[in-house]
Amino acid sequence: MLDRIQQIKQDIAAFKIETAADLEAFRLKYLSKKGQMNDLFEAFKTVSKDQKREIGQKLNELKVLLNETFEKYKEVAEQHAAASSSDSDLTLPGESFPLGSRHPISIAMNEICDIFAKLGFSVAEGPEIEDDWHVFSALNFPPEHPARDMQDTFFIQKCPDILLRTHTSSVQVRVMERMKPPIRMIMPGRVFRNEAISARSHCIFHQVEGLYIAEDVSFTDLKQTLLAFAREMFGEKTDIRLRPSYFPFTEPSAEMDVSCSCGGKGCNLCKYTGWLEVLGCGMVDPAVLEANGIDSKKYTGFAFGIGVERMALMKYKIKDIRTYFENDVRFLQQFSTAF
Ligand code: DAH
């Protein structure tokens, strides 16, 4: 029996107790009714009288040891349980947050700005709520010009006229007020026109305006700048064509088409012409330079206004301009890798 007591002492030292389950196993093995301690007490009844004293002492020692061990590990197991029942399980995989994506208009606008930045243009911005001077008068719009009509412009107030800018050309005026030539600026922004909403036009859209004023700026500079831009934006093989046009603030004026990605075969997008109109441009009218305090004998300049929605329609082959403003996540998600 003494041997058994010795053996149990060794077993206790080797018993691994870390969790509540380990502790329960320990209790069942040694301290429960059917445990080994009870077995020993049962066996003790049959021990001869002369051995009783010695074995009884050893048995008591073992009992004390078992109880002490149990109490000690009870504390450890409780701490372990408290730690594992806390709210955060650090072994769980992290929660993933779906990343938003940039709007196709922003992507196109950023790309246009990046291309012109490489050509030496800096960015300027101006207010969306403007006065008549910056949107029309300083840009040589005659008083009877239809763009000044209520039909085209959203007026906020009449006399003095406060309105939503109908084009970013108003920022040209603000730039000329602030800066002396040489000026090489692009001006991205939102514009507003009182137009019926359809697949091809909207009452809110975006433009990137460009202005370059220095000595000896020529139409050739304009054409080469726009060609370089079109090839960066739509690929090396892109061609441009300039058609004569009219804008009050440029003379001569032109509209620029880029060759359609259908390669001239004709498609829905280019209405089977092989060309897509993307911007208006021209040489800044001397009257505009003078109205803005720039000596038109010394300086010449070119300007252009790019329709951003148009650019993005072409680039991403979007069929309906209205999809830009519907905020349908299924549409927007398609651009998550495009920036
Ligand atoms: N502002 C014109 C529009 O909204 C576009 C434009 C044409 C801008 C010619 C220019 C320009 O700077 O030179 O239709």
Side-chain angles (χ1 to χ4, degrees):
M1 194 154 171
L2 284 172
D3 287 349
R4 250 189 100 190
I5 294 174
Q6 194 51 37
Q7 180 61 47
I8 292 175
K9 273 188 176 173
Q10 282 173 11
D11 288 352
I12 295 169
F15 203 102
K16 213 170 116 249
I17 307 175
E18 278 173 358
T19 63
D22 296 340
L23 188 69
E24 181 58 8
F26 179 85
R27 192 187 67 78
L28 286 173
K29 187 165 181 187
Y30 299 112
L31 294 168
S32 68
K33 263 191 183 161
K34 289 183 182 161
Q36 294 189 12
M37 201 61 221
N38 252 2
D39 290 351
L40 283 173
F41 278 124
E42 277 304 314
F44 183 65
K45 288 177 187 161
T46 60
V47 166
S48 62
K49 263 193 181 155
D50 53 326
Q51 279 193 308
K52 258 207 161 109
R53 194 183 152 85
E54 191 193 353
I55 293 181
Q57 213 179 346
K58 294 273 178 216
L59 257 183
N60 269 334
E61 274 173 28
L62 181 64
K63 197 182 167 191
V64 170
L65 180 68
L66 279 167
N67 281 328
E68 274 176 6
T69 309
F70 181 78
E71 287 304 320
K72 184 172 133 203
Y73 283 108
K74 200 170 148 189
E75 236 173 77
V76 174
E78 274 167 5
Q79 278 169 9
H80 191 274
S84 60
S85 73
S86 87
D87 286 346
S88 46
D89 179 352
L90 301 179
T91 62
L92 282 176
E95 250 177 64
S96 68
F97 292 98
L99 270 187
S101 52
R102 222 162 264 183
H103 194 279
I105 296 295
S106 301
I107 299 169
M109 197 122 95
N110 289 349
E111 194 173 349
I112 295 168
C113 290
D114 285 350
I115 294 171
F116 280 104
K118 280 191 222 155
L119 297 174
F121 285 75
S122 331
V123 175
E125 282 184 58
E128 291 175 354
I129 299 175
E130 269 289 11
D131 51 26
D132 174 276
W133 171 258
H134 290 92
V135 178
F136 298 127
S137 300
L139 289 165
N140 209 28
F141 276 79
E144 71 283 358
H145 194 282
R148 288 173 175 244
D149 205 299
M150 294 277 275
Q151 244 79 60
D152 295 281
T153 306
F154 287 116
F155 285 92
I156 293 172
Q157 180 191 300
K158 273 287 200 184
C159 292
D161 290 352
I162 306 292
L163 44 103
L164 296 180
R165 66 181 179 197
T166 55
H167 54 181
T168 44
S169 305
S170 56
V171 192
Q172 281 190 36
V173 178
R174 295 208 170 259
V175 166
M176 285 188 267
E177 280 169 355
R178 280 206 315 265
M179 293 177 67
K180 295 209 167 330
I183 295 171
R184 198 154 32 171
M185 286 282 183
I186 44 164
M187 296 144 260
R190 199 155 45 155
V191 300
F192 309 85
R193 274 186 215 171
N194 198 352
E195 269 176 31
I197 297 171
S198 70
R200 302 231 114 210
S201 65
H202 206 283
C203 57
I204 304 175
F205 53 101
H206 299 77
Q207 294 184 329
V208 176
E209 191 79 14
L211 180 66
Y212 179 32
I213 301 173
E215 287 179 45
D216 298 326
V217 176
S218 69
F219 201 91
T220 311
D221 298 323
L222 170 63
K223 195 178 162 193
Q224 286 308 314
T225 304
L226 293 178
L227 179 64
F229 161 69
R231 291 197 167 156
E232 276 282 316
M233 188 82 188
F234 297 110
E236 271 302 302
K237 297 208 173 83
T238 308
D239 276 329
I240 62 167
R241 118 181 143 173
L242 291 168
R243 286 177 289 103
S245 185
Y246 171 76
F247 299 101
F249 39 93
T250 43
E251 182 57 38
S253 304
E255 268 163 326
M256 185 178 103
D257 299 339
V258 296
S259 53
C260 183
S261 57
C262 69
K265 279 180 235 132
C267 69
N268 257 345
L269 197 63
C270 65
K271 298 212 187 105
Y272 298 92
T273 61
W275 295 96
L276 282 152
E277 184 194 322
V278 290
L279 60 86
C281 61
M283 300 305 291
V284 181
D285 194 307
V288 172
L289 294 176
E290 294 296 334
N292 291 288
I294 293 173
D295 183 356
S296 64
K297 292 202 180 61
K298 188 164 178 205
Y299 297 108
T300 50
F302 67 68
F304 54 85
I306 303 172
V308 181
E309 274 75 3
R310 264 297 174 83
M311 287 273 164
L313 281 183
M314 286 171 60
K315 190 137 182 148
Y316 304 122
K317 307 214 161 35
I318 296 165
K319 293 210 174 67
D320 192 321
I321 217 164
R322 290 169 291 197
T323 46
Y324 288 134
F325 302 102
E326 281 166 0
N327 280 336
D328 185 330
V329 176
R330 290 166 303 177
F331 169 73
L332 297 174
Q333 266 169 352
Q334 296 176 54
F335 301 92
S336 56
T337 53
F339 59 88

